[in-house]
Amino acid sequence: MKAGFISLGCSKNLVDTEVMLGILRQNGYELVNEAAEADVLIVNTCAFIESAKEESITTVLTMVEYKEPGKGRCKSLIIAGCLGQRYGQELLDDLPEADGIIGTGSWHRIMEAIEETLAGNRVVINRENEIIYDASVPRIPTTPSYTAYVKIAEGCNNRCAFCAIPLIRGRYRSRSVEDICQEVEALVAKGVREIVLIAQDTTNYGHDIYGEPSLARLLKELCRIEGIKWLRTLYSYPKFFTDELIEVIASEEKLVKYVDIPLQHANDEILRAMHRPDTKAEVTALLQKLRERIPGVVIRSTFIVGFPGETDAQYQELKEFLQQQRFDHVGIFTYSREEDTAAAEMEGQVPEEVMQDRYHDLKATQSLISQQLNEALEGQVLEVLVEGRTEDGMPYGRSYRQADDVDDSIYIEDDRTSQVGDMVKVRILQGFTEDLVGELVR
């Protein structure tokens, strides 16, 4: 039997896909990249915002054609992940073409779902939401051989008014330091050079099992593992960004000086309405501390425009905050009204056209900042991890300043020797809004 996966959404969802791939291979399934060759097709879906849900449904419907004779051999089409967890039987009823649903907390039952659907039964398995994979679970990384994501915790206890993740993935639950180290050691033994730690809120790591935020402790232990070149942490909320954590990032050589810290807004009234625990003053003080104690630190953040009740003045405060802070990388989103969230019922829903105007204005503001920051890198020499080549043969990759999949790339002129996975020294020649161009330092 052959199985094919389509994984949508975030890197946390991708890890779930990799774990299910491992379980299928362990049970004798051949994994294929072509949907037309698969007896079983599994779409691991995202349901974070409306556009993600639409993409997930469209992808599922696209896979339906492979159930038709002459186009494919699919006997079972399963919807996995967030969409299945959130809508369950309702989703299966609305999509008669699908054969089964498996939720985010039921990945370990993927073989049960497959066997039931192949037997002709339509099933929904989405009641469980209290487990997280561990180092003993088989996993097949789908990322390039030199980098891998490691999920250190699952779920979320933050009840941000706009976010449905706690409803979908449940309460926050951490893996032990020992178990994470065991997985990382196994990945490094296979040649992985960059480890990227992820969770819905990485700075809250360990609070549930150790009684206090323990990311700093985990990072210290991981830095002792030989073979790691870069250790990167994403989704670090400001609430538990302790002084100890800052000092660990500053002092440990393997930890890249890159902080991903979702802030969402800069106006205190909007932050309170979002149910965010931080104030603008507290965030500003944290950013100043990060820059003072970690020389060369790169800071990435995300922001939402058009949250219910956001006035022109409050939006302008957010814009001025970006102009003052000059973040290295910024993700900007328009507010998405999600059912069953606190914000969905709030008064003052901002019209779509107003949100779009603010979105494009803030994007333009950040684009100018990004261009200026990239131009300021001209002449500097950075260590670059080569990730591929363009169609005309130019290598490109990332330095410590860029995270995989979300940030810009560095293109290396007149380099015909570097191979994917190499770490090379590159002098930056030109900085643009999104990317940089450099030359190999021989």
Side-chain angles (χ1 to χ4, degrees):
M1 296 289 285
K2 298 180 179 180
F5 261 85
I6 299 93
S7 191
L8 306 173
C10 65
S11 55
K12 297 178 285 293
N13 219 34
L14 182 64
V15 171
D16 294 343
T17 292
E18 294 174 344
V19 167
M20 287 188 282
L21 285 169
I23 293 172
L24 263 65
R25 178 175 286 177
Q26 189 179 57
N27 282 271
Y29 270 73
E30 180 182 347
L31 307 176
V32 296
N33 292 323
E34 296 296 331
E37 299 176 8
D39 300 291
V40 177
L41 282 170
I42 302 164
V43 182
N44 198 9
T45 59
C46 179
F48 181 50
I49 56 177
E50 191 61 35
S51 60
K53 288 186 281 188
E54 291 173 359
E55 180 189 18
S56 294
I57 294 296
T58 299
T59 303
V60 171
L61 294 175
T62 301
M63 293 301 106
V64 170
E65 68 177 274
Y66 297 105
K67 301 179 80 172
E68 300 175 11
K71 292 189 176 180
R73 51 189 282 180
C74 179
K75 304 175 185 67
S76 171
L77 176 58
I78 296 175
I79 302 173
C82 295
L83 205 65
Q85 181 68 34
R86 191 169 188 186
Y87 297 107
Q89 188 64 51
E90 177 188 351
L91 181 63
L92 197 63
D93 292 341
D94 288 344
L95 291 173
E97 303 91 345
D99 300 294
I101 299 284
I102 186 163
T104 55
S106 304
W107 48 263
H108 60 298
R109 297 175 65 186
I110 184 63
M111 288 309 303
E112 178 186 341
I114 290 173
E115 290 164 2
E116 286 287 336
T117 55
L118 288 177
N121 302 315
R122 302 183 81 221
V123 297
V124 176
I125 305 174
N126 73 337
R127 295 296 183 188
E128 299 170 88
N129 214 8
E130 291 297 310
I131 64 170
I132 183 171
Y133 84 102
D134 59 38
S136 68
V137 175
R139 178 184 167 196
I140 300 176
T142 58
T143 47
S145 61
Y146 49 78
T147 189
Y149 294 105
V150 173
K151 192 188 295 190
I152 63 174
E154 180 61 278
C156 188
N157 291 344
N158 300 320
R159 297 287 172 172
C160 299
F162 52 83
C163 184
I165 293 299
L167 304 175
I168 298 171
R169 291 192 173 264
R171 64 177 180 84
Y172 196 92
R173 48 210 187 273
S174 304
R175 297 169 61 189
S176 70
V177 169
E178 294 76 15
D179 186 63
I180 295 167
C181 287
Q182 184 179 341
E183 182 184 17
V184 170
E185 286 171 351
L187 289 168
V188 172
K190 294 177 181 177
V192 173
R193 308 182 75 184
E194 179 187 35
I195 297 293
V196 184
L197 304 182
I198 54 173
Q200 195 61 35
D201 176 359
T202 51
T203 43
N204 196 31
Y205 167 76
H207 199 278
D208 54 320
I209 58 176
Y210 299 122
E212 61 182 0
S214 303
L215 181 59
R217 172 188 167 188
L218 172 63
L219 293 175
K220 289 178 184 177
E221 291 298 321
L222 290 174
C223 285
R224 296 176 181 175
I225 297 175
E226 293 185 10
I228 296 177
K229 177 66 176 178
W230 286 347
L231 185 58
R232 190 184 301 270
T233 304
L234 302 181
Y235 317 120
S236 303
Y237 282 55
K239 181 179 179 181
F240 293 117
F241 217 116
T242 62
D243 287 348
E244 181 188 13
L245 178 57
I246 294 173
E247 294 305 324
V248 170
I249 296 172
S251 60
E252 292 285 357
E253 185 178 344
K254 293 178 180 179
L255 284 172
V256 295
K257 312 313 177 193
Y258 180 104
V259 174
D260 173 42
I261 185 165
L263 298 176
Q264 311 306 359
H265 214 279
N267 173 267
D268 285 345
E269 291 181 3
I270 294 295
L271 289 170
R272 281 195 298 272
M274 286 180 165
H275 298 173
R276 303 284 290 183
D278 311 288
T279 66
K280 179 182 176 181
E282 290 169 340
V283 167
T284 299
L286 174 59
L287 294 172
Q288 181 178 348
K289 190 182 296 184
L290 287 167
R291 287 170 170 142
E292 288 176 350
R293 298 189 183 178
I294 310 174
V297 67
V298 170
I299 301 178
R300 176 182 177 83
S301 191
T302 53
F303 296 94
I304 296 172
V305 297
F307 187 81
E310 183 187 57
T311 64
D312 287 338
Q314 290 168 334
Y315 164 69
Q316 288 299 323
E317 184 176 354
L318 171 59
K319 180 178 177 179
E320 290 169 4
F321 182 73
L322 260 67
Q323 291 171 326
Q324 293 164 357
Q325 292 298 331
R326 297 176 64 80
F327 295 96
D328 298 273
H329 307 287
V330 172
I332 300 169
F333 302 88
T334 56
Y335 166 72
S336 179
R337 192 175 189 177
E338 297 300 316
E339 71 265 34
D340 301 323
T341 62
E345 305 303 320
M346 289 181 179
E347 297 181 356
Q349 299 287 328
V350 177
E352 181 65 29
E353 60 270 21
V354 175
M355 285 199 288
Q356 289 297 326
D357 286 345
R358 292 174 182 173
Y359 169 80
H360 290 293
D361 182 52
L362 203 62
K363 286 278 286 186
T365 299
Q366 180 58 37
S367 291
L368 179 59
I369 294 169
S370 296
Q371 181 175 339
Q372 292 170 344
L373 293 175
N374 282 344
E375 288 175 348
L377 293 173
E378 293 174 2
Q380 291 191 26
V381 174
L382 299 174
E383 189 171 33
V384 173
L385 172 61
V386 179
E387 295 191 292
R389 286 183 178 271
T390 62
E391 291 184 0
D392 60 1
M394 181 183 291
Y396 62 87
R398 296 179 286 117
S399 72
Y400 83 95
R401 302 182 60 86
Q402 293 93 17
D404 181 41
D405 197 43
V406 293
D407 295 331
D408 47 21
S409 296
I410 298 175
Y411 292 84
I412 311 170
E413 290 184 338
D414 300 325
D415 177 13
R416 299 292 173 181
T417 59
S418 296
Q419 302 297 313
V420 172
D422 287 350
M423 306 284 282
V424 297
K425 298 288 187 181
V426 175
R427 180 178 291 104
I428 303 302
L429 301 176
Q430 288 182 291
F432 301 96
T433 301
E434 295 182 352
D435 297 311
L436 301 109
V437 175
E439 63 179 1
L440 198 64
V441 177
R442 302 182 189 277

